[in-house]
Amino acid sequence: MQRNKSIVLLSAGHACVDVYQGAVAALVPFFVAERAYTYAAASGIVLAASLLSSVAQPFFGALTDRRPIPWLLPVSTVVGGLGVALSGIGGSYALTLLFMALSGIGVAAYHPESARVARVASKGSHSSMGWFSLGGNVGFAAAPVLVTVVIATGGLRFSPLLILPALAGSVLALPVLRALDKAPSTDGGKGDARGQDDRASFVRLSLAVVCRSITFVGMSTFVAFHVREQTGGGTAAGTAALFVLYLGGAVGTVVGGNLAHRWDRVTVVSMSYLLTVAAVAGVVFVPGPTVYLFVALTAIGLYVPFSLQVTLAQDYLPTRVGTASGITLGLMVSVGGLTSPVIGVIADATSLRTALTPLIAMPGLSWLLFRSLPEPTVLKPLLEDIGEEGAQGTASHTTQRSSL
């Protein structure tokens, strides 16, 4: 019961943090409309939030491998929200970039430690980790609605109101920290020092995640503009596309966790990437309202692997769980922002459809990298989560506890 409560609270807190990842892309159309930014300048805002986050997440992951830092959860949540909340104040482009970078640091500090805590609280269950990841996807999905309600009401000067989810998330983290203090002493989720790291597989997984991130961040930055062109709609049509993209991600995360109980994670992830190639092509080339269907399928295809890639990374580096989490989550949510300005420059010079076309190849590259990866044996999901009991379940449970 305590495990379920902790996962629910962590999931809700994760939603409060990832609101700010989704808010960056959701704010871009308002910056364009109110401050007349070009595509390239607008994508630079995404870059500011992504660049420091990409670099900082592995750093924070390495710190959590040395010693647990649970107080990072409430503090980083507030920092991530503060940057976005201040981004609409004043008209200075440099100041906006600075505030977005601050938000990126907060997000970077949150994810490796929260993944470590979730691993401990879930005892390695794929479904529980899926619910933890779902919280982040719900936050992504809520961001366009939250930003539209706040900013459309009073303009960018109302951005300080966006701090509210961060304050709520910091409060939600406190009961989890108290539960950790009361729990029996463990190794803090740092991994099994007796396990062997499979660095080659981890590198290939990381490269696949880079391709996935380029696709998702590129879509989340420009899909609102693209759908407006495809449907002939206004700002509402673009906001709806962004909402569908993020909501589809939430669905994909749950589906991925459930599929991992039927097939191995590598198979589920590789097939998901293969199907995503067709979905992204549909987003780029299919005109009219049907584009929303392909936006949803793209999101599901990109997010089925989300929590599975985190646990795979932890299992490929069992002695460096924090580092694995930091690198994987950092790449998944951040590195794509580094390529967004390139997409923006191409869109300014040619067309948005031309700029988005290369994204079709990215999930195909992820599939090629994933298809021959080994399924790790370091960590298996708790058999009690899928209703199996007996000696086999006891053995699996014992193996898993030793890996934590």
Side-chain angles (χ1 to χ4, degrees):
M1 182 63 70
Q2 181 61 50
R3 183 183 76 178
N4 293 337
K5 179 181 177 182
S6 294
I7 289 296
V8 169
L9 290 172
L10 285 168
S11 181
H14 196 184
C16 292
V17 171
D18 279 7
V19 158
Y20 299 107
Q21 295 196 76
V24 175
L27 281 166
V28 164
F30 293 98
F31 285 121
V32 171
E34 194 167 318
R35 299 180 180 174
Y37 291 162
T38 64
Y39 284 141
S43 60
I45 295 172
V46 180
L47 173 63
S50 302
L51 183 59
L52 281 179
S53 188
S54 296
V55 174
Q57 284 206 46
F59 169 75
F60 283 110
L63 284 181
T64 63
D65 279 332
R66 298 185 66 179
R67 62 185 299 271
I69 319 174
W71 56 262
L72 269 180
L73 270 63
V75 172
S76 60
T77 300
V78 173
V79 172
L82 187 63
V84 167
L86 295 176
S87 66
I89 297 177
S92 167
Y93 185 69
L95 201 58
T96 301
L97 295 180
L98 178 63
F99 287 139
M100 286 302 188
L102 177 66
S103 178
I105 292 175
V107 169
Y110 175 85
H111 279 96
E113 180 64 4
S114 66
R116 182 195 69 81
V117 172
R119 177 185 172 101
V120 173
S122 69
K123 294 182 171 61
S125 164
H126 296 327
S127 59
S128 293
M129 287 296 288
W131 284 108
F132 166 70
S133 298
L134 172 64
N137 304 147
V138 170
F140 260 105
V145 177
L146 176 65
V147 167
T148 300
V149 168
V150 173
I151 305 303
T153 300
L156 290 171
R157 63 189 178 88
F158 271 33
S159 66
L161 293 175
L162 296 175
I163 191 66
L164 295 177
L167 299 179
S170 64
V171 172
L172 289 170
L174 300 180
V176 178
L177 302 189
R178 286 196 293 267
L180 284 177
D181 287 339
K182 296 177 181 178
S185 178
T186 67
D187 70 352
K190 293 184 287 185
D192 184 355
R194 295 167 296 178
Q196 291 186 343
D197 292 340
D198 184 353
R199 291 186 176 87
S201 294
F202 178 77
V203 169
R204 287 172 58 193
L205 180 147
S206 299
L207 292 173
V209 170
V210 167
C211 296
R212 180 257 180 213
S213 180
I214 291 172
T215 306
F216 181 76
V217 177
M219 282 289 174
S220 63
T221 304
F222 295 105
V223 73
F225 300 110
H226 179 66
V227 168
R228 285 166 61 180
E229 292 181 0
Q230 294 289 83
T231 62
T235 302
T239 300
L242 204 54
F243 177 75
V244 169
L245 183 73
Y246 294 161
L247 185 61
V251 173
T253 302
V254 175
V255 170
N258 289 330
L259 290 178
H261 287 310
R262 294 178 176 271
W263 298 281
D264 66 83
R265 289 168 291 177
V266 171
T267 298
V268 171
V269 173
S270 60
M271 292 306 299
S272 177
Y273 280 135
L274 188 59
L275 295 173
T276 304
V277 174
V280 175
V283 173
V284 175
F285 292 112
V286 173
T290 308
V291 71
Y292 288 106
L293 172 62
F294 287 103
V295 170
L297 292 175
T298 295
I300 292 172
L302 290 174
Y303 267 93
V304 162
F306 193 90
S307 65
L308 304 183
Q309 287 175 155
V310 176
T311 60
L312 279 169
Q314 292 172 337
D315 291 352
Y316 285 140
L317 295 184
T319 69
R320 300 177 182 272
V321 168
T323 299
S325 302
I327 291 176
T328 309
L329 287 166
L331 292 175
M332 278 198 285
V333 302
S334 304
V335 76
L338 306 181
T339 61
S340 289
V342 177
I343 298 174
V345 168
I346 296 173
D348 285 331
T350 57
S351 70
L352 198 49
R353 173 176 287 179
T354 300
L356 293 177
T357 298
L359 298 183
I360 299 171
M362 292 295 104
L365 293 175
S366 294
W367 172 74
L368 287 173
L369 289 163
F370 241 97
R371 59 191 298 264
S372 59
L373 280 177
E375 177 70 22
T377 56
V378 175
L379 180 65
K380 293 182 181 295
L382 288 177
L383 294 181
E384 67 185 37
D385 282 349
I386 53 176
E388 296 186 19
E389 298 178 352
Q392 182 180 0
T394 302
S396 175
H397 184 72
T398 301
T399 301
Q400 180 165 326
R401 289 189 62 83
S402 69
S403 73
L404 293 174

